[in-house]
Amino acid sequence: MEEQDFRPFAHLTVPNAELYRRVMGVFVQAKRRFAVHLRPEDVEEALSVEAGAAVELQAVSDALKRLEEFGNLRSDPDTSRVTTVEDFHRARFLYQLTLRGEAVEEALEAYDRALGRRGALQAVALADIAEQLRALLELAGQPAADPAKVHLLLRGLVDRFTDLAGNAQAFMASLQRSIDLHDADPDAFRAYKDRLIDYLERFIADLVTTGAEIAGLVGSVERAGVERLLDEAAWREAADAAPGADAAAGDDPRQVEYERGRVLWRVRWRGFRSWFVSEPRHPSQAKLLRSQARAAIPQLLQVVAALNERRAGRSDRSADFRTLATWFAEAPDEGAMHRLWRAAFGLAPARHLTVDADTVASRAEHPVPASTSWTDAPTLSISPRLRRTGSYERRGKPNRVLDRSAERTRLAELAARQAAETAAARAALVTSRPTRLGDVGTLDPAAFALFLALLGDALTARVPGRRSVTTTTSDGTMLVRLTALDGGRVAEVRTPAGVFRGPDHLVEIVDVTGSGAAAERTA
């Protein structure tokens, strides 16, 4: 296509594009009222009414001239109002849309309509399609069907199907944008979610039932002879065909148009059929739409769950980074920014470096605080192989397996000692009857740590308004009963580290794994 063919779009990218669009809108509205020619005064009056304020006639005249240069308008001399010699010599024009200008406006209107389209899942359209197919099936069973009825039914079927498919596509696109929306108001989105899920469930149910009926009707129409009906529609459209400049001499324009129509109607029918009828390796579009609608429901629920977590005080990574960006923007100086960077990302330590046994021993004798700068800290000796190859290990024979038996023995002894201390602590805390906290006596550090854990579990499980509570430890090995006492007495538990004081309670601790279990069963 030649470059000048695109000049009618040039008025969209110039400084006065808004005025040019409004002027072209006046001509489009005038043509819909069957007004072909407009004077500059007519355009100025229409723009003033639209804007609610006066528009300069000179600006309108300049806009009309520019649009004529672009190829959107055409001007003709206006001699209908000449009354004086001065009027005759003054340039007056009538303007009208050119074919290119009209095509551009239709394209822009379709563009705006597509962008603003919300789309819908039309269950009513499914019922209409089924009704039209039933009527088409009845005509297919007649030996001589009325071509007008066949053509009108097929045209209505194509129009309804096109509207259904386009709206479904637009709706699913808008639904995905809603699912991807992370900054929505939680309350508004939850209310929208409830209505949307109900809407999706109703459409899925209608698509399952009516879609299956449509698929069956399509098969019945094809068996009854859909080719004949498509030929009838193509021939009726070709009846009024006008001869074209590209037709060969002697060709019947109706036959040429009929051949084109036959191909077009078969393509339309195949597209319609593939929307509702599945093939072995090609599922129908209705089935895919149903799957997408079903998948959208759990996705909506996931969005609601994310909004609820955010509302409950939890934070996602995107919110964390936005908050961090705000802190960076509000930092008073570069030093504060660097401190914030180190605190947020922790990239200051060289975690990829390792040291040998001598360095570890040296650091144990002379500790270096973590806040020490690298420039002030002692140097570290690393293998030159790290700089040369990026790896500590040398190529070749693998290193010998170290004997870790001594370490395993030491760990086993440590575990046995800790188990013995825990068992002793359990034995020291087990009571044969309810005992006051003040009578517990002196506890060693291991027994006191276990005692604090048991006391914390019981206090956490106590319900307001109740004086007594019974609970078990997380591993289920010990049972604790705790009862509050009146009088405000303070209990003291002595340990090597000091004295633990608190409100006095009756406490009973039972070891359910040993003799305490038998005592508990006896009680």
Side-chain angles (χ1 to χ4, degrees), residues 60 68 160 165 233 237 260 303 323 349 352 380 386 388 423 448 470:
V60 174
E68 182 183 5
R160 204 71 176 105
E237 288 183 344
R260 294 175 181 173
V303 173
T323 303
H352 64 282
L380 291 178
L386 175 65
R388 185 171 62 252
F448 181 66
T470 301

CSV table of all heavy atoms in Angstrom, one decimal, residues 60 68 160 165 233 237 260 303 323 349 352 380 386 388 423 448 470:
chain,number,residue,atom,x,y,z
A,60,VAL,N,-12.2,26.7,13.4
A,60,VAL,CA,-12.9,25.6,12.7
A,60,VAL,C,-12.5,25.6,11.2
A,60,VAL,O,-12.3,24.5,10.6
A,60,VAL,CB,-14.5,25.8,12.9
A,60,VAL,CG1,-15.2,24.8,12.0
A,60,VAL,CG2,-14.8,25.6,14.3
A,68,GLU,N,-8.8,18.6,5.0
A,68,GLU,CA,-8.8,18.4,3.6
A,68,GLU,C,-7.4,18.0,3.1
A,68,GLU,O,-7.3,17.2,2.2
A,68,GLU,CB,-9.3,19.7,2.9
A,68,GLU,CG,-9.4,19.6,1.4
A,68,GLU,CD,-9.9,20.9,0.8
A,68,GLU,OE1,-10.0,21.9,1.5
A,68,GLU,OE2,-10.1,20.9,-0.5
A,160,ARG,N,-25.7,-14.1,15.8
A,160,ARG,CA,-25.8,-14.4,17.2
A,160,ARG,C,-24.6,-15.2,17.7
A,160,ARG,O,-24.1,-14.9,18.8
A,160,ARG,CB,-27.0,-15.3,17.5
A,160,ARG,CG,-27.6,-15.3,18.9
A,160,ARG,CD,-28.2,-13.9,19.1
A,160,ARG,NE,-28.8,-13.8,20.4
A,160,ARG,CZ,-28.3,-13.1,21.4
A,160,ARG,NH1,-27.2,-12.5,21.3
A,160,ARG,NH2,-29.0,-13.1,22.6
A,165,ALA,N,-19.4,-15.4,20.7
A,165,ALA,CA,-17.9,-15.7,20.8
A,165,ALA,C,-17.1,-14.4,21.1
A,165,ALA,O,-16.2,-14.5,21.9
A,165,ALA,CB,-17.5,-16.2,19.4
A,233,ALA,N,-28.5,-20.1,0.7
A,233,ALA,CA,-28.1,-18.8,1.3
A,233,ALA,C,-27.1,-18.1,0.3
A,233,ALA,O,-27.2,-16.9,0.1
A,233,ALA,CB,-27.5,-19.0,2.7
A,237,GLU,N,-27.8,-14.5,-1.8
A,237,GLU,CA,-27.0,-13.3,-1.6
A,237,GLU,C,-26.4,-12.9,-3.0
A,237,GLU,O,-26.2,-11.7,-3.2
A,237,GLU,CB,-25.8,-13.6,-0.7
A,237,GLU,CG,-26.2,-13.7,0.8
A,237,GLU,CD,-25.1,-13.9,1.7
A,237,GLU,OE1,-24.0,-14.3,1.2
A,237,GLU,OE2,-25.2,-13.7,2.9
A,260,ARG,N,-18.1,-17.5,-4.6
A,260,ARG,CA,-17.5,-16.9,-3.5
A,260,ARG,C,-18.3,-17.2,-2.2
A,260,ARG,O,-17.8,-17.5,-1.1
A,260,ARG,CB,-17.3,-15.4,-3.7
A,260,ARG,CG,-16.3,-15.1,-4.8
A,260,ARG,CD,-16.2,-13.6,-5.0
A,260,ARG,NE,-15.3,-13.2,-6.0
A,260,ARG,CZ,-15.2,-12.0,-6.5
A,260,ARG,NH1,-15.9,-11.0,-6.0
A,260,ARG,NH2,-14.3,-11.7,-7.4
A,303,VAL,N,-7.2,-15.0,45.1
A,303,VAL,CA,-7.0,-13.6,45.2
A,303,VAL,C,-7.6,-13.1,46.5
A,303,VAL,O,-7.1,-12.2,47.2
A,303,VAL,CB,-7.6,-12.9,44.0
A,303,VAL,CG1,-7.6,-11.4,44.2
A,303,VAL,CG2,-6.8,-13.2,42.7
A,323,THR,N,7.4,-0.7,50.4
A,323,THR,CA,7.7,0.0,51.7
A,323,THR,C,9.2,0.3,51.8
A,323,THR,O,9.6,1.4,52.2
A,323,THR,CB,7.3,-0.9,52.9
A,323,THR,OG1,5.9,-1.2,52.8
A,323,THR,CG2,7.6,-0.2,54.2
A,349,PRO,N,28.7,-9.2,54.5
A,349,PRO,CA,29.6,-10.3,54.8
A,349,PRO,C,30.0,-11.1,53.5
A,349,PRO,O,29.2,-11.3,52.6
A,349,PRO,CB,28.9,-11.2,55.8
A,349,PRO,CG,27.8,-10.4,56.3
A,349,PRO,CD,27.4,-9.4,55.2
A,352,HIS,N,31.1,-16.3,50.9
A,352,HIS,CA,31.7,-17.3,50.0
A,352,HIS,C,33.1,-17.7,50.4
A,352,HIS,O,33.7,-18.6,49.8
A,352,HIS,CB,31.7,-16.8,48.5
A,352,HIS,CG,32.5,-15.6,48.3
A,352,HIS,ND1,32.1,-14.3,48.7
A,352,HIS,CD2,33.8,-15.4,47.8
A,352,HIS,CE1,33.0,-13.5,48.4
A,352,HIS,NE2,34.1,-14.1,47.9
A,380,LEU,N,42.7,-12.4,55.8
A,380,LEU,CA,42.4,-13.8,55.7
A,380,LEU,C,43.2,-14.4,54.6
A,380,LEU,O,43.3,-13.8,53.5
A,380,LEU,CB,40.9,-14.0,55.4
A,380,LEU,CG,39.9,-13.7,56.6
A,380,LEU,CD1,38.5,-13.8,56.1
A,380,LEU,CD2,40.2,-14.5,57.8
A,386,LEU,N,41.0,-20.2,44.2
A,386,LEU,CA,39.7,-19.6,44.2
A,386,LEU,C,39.7,-18.5,43.2
A,386,LEU,O,38.7,-18.3,42.4
A,386,LEU,CB,39.3,-19.1,45.6
A,386,LEU,CG,38.0,-18.3,45.7
A,386,LEU,CD1,36.8,-19.1,45.4
A,386,LEU,CD2,37.9,-17.7,47.1
A,388,ARG,N,41.7,-18.1,40.6
A,388,ARG,CA,42.1,-18.6,39.3
A,388,ARG,C,40.9,-19.4,38.7
A,388,ARG,O,40.6,-19.3,37.5
A,388,ARG,CB,43.3,-19.4,39.3
A,388,ARG,CG,43.8,-19.8,37.9
A,388,ARG,CD,45.2,-20.5,38.0
A,388,ARG,NE,45.3,-21.7,38.8
A,388,ARG,CZ,45.8,-21.7,40.0
A,388,ARG,NH1,46.4,-20.7,40.6
A,388,ARG,NH2,45.8,-22.9,40.7
A,423,ALA,N,15.5,-36.3,81.7
A,423,ALA,CA,14.8,-37.3,82.6
A,423,ALA,C,14.8,-36.9,84.0
A,423,ALA,O,13.8,-37.1,84.8
A,423,ALA,CB,15.4,-38.7,82.3
A,448,PHE,N,14.5,-26.1,86.1
A,448,PHE,CA,13.8,-24.9,86.0
A,448,PHE,C,13.4,-24.5,84.6
A,448,PHE,O,12.3,-23.9,84.4
A,448,PHE,CB,14.7,-23.8,86.6
A,448,PHE,CG,14.0,-22.4,86.7
A,448,PHE,CD1,12.9,-22.2,87.5
A,448,PHE,CD2,14.5,-21.4,85.9
A,448,PHE,CE1,12.4,-20.9,87.5
A,448,PHE,CE2,13.9,-20.1,85.9
A,448,PHE,CZ,12.8,-19.9,86.8
A,470,THR,N,-6.2,-27.8,82.4
A,470,THR,CA,-5.5,-29.1,82.3
A,470,THR,C,-5.0,-29.1,80.8
A,470,THR,O,-5.7,-29.0,79.9
A,470,THR,CB,-6.4,-30.3,82.5
A,470,THR,OG1,-6.9,-30.2,83.9
A,470,THR,CG2,-5.5,-31.6,82.4
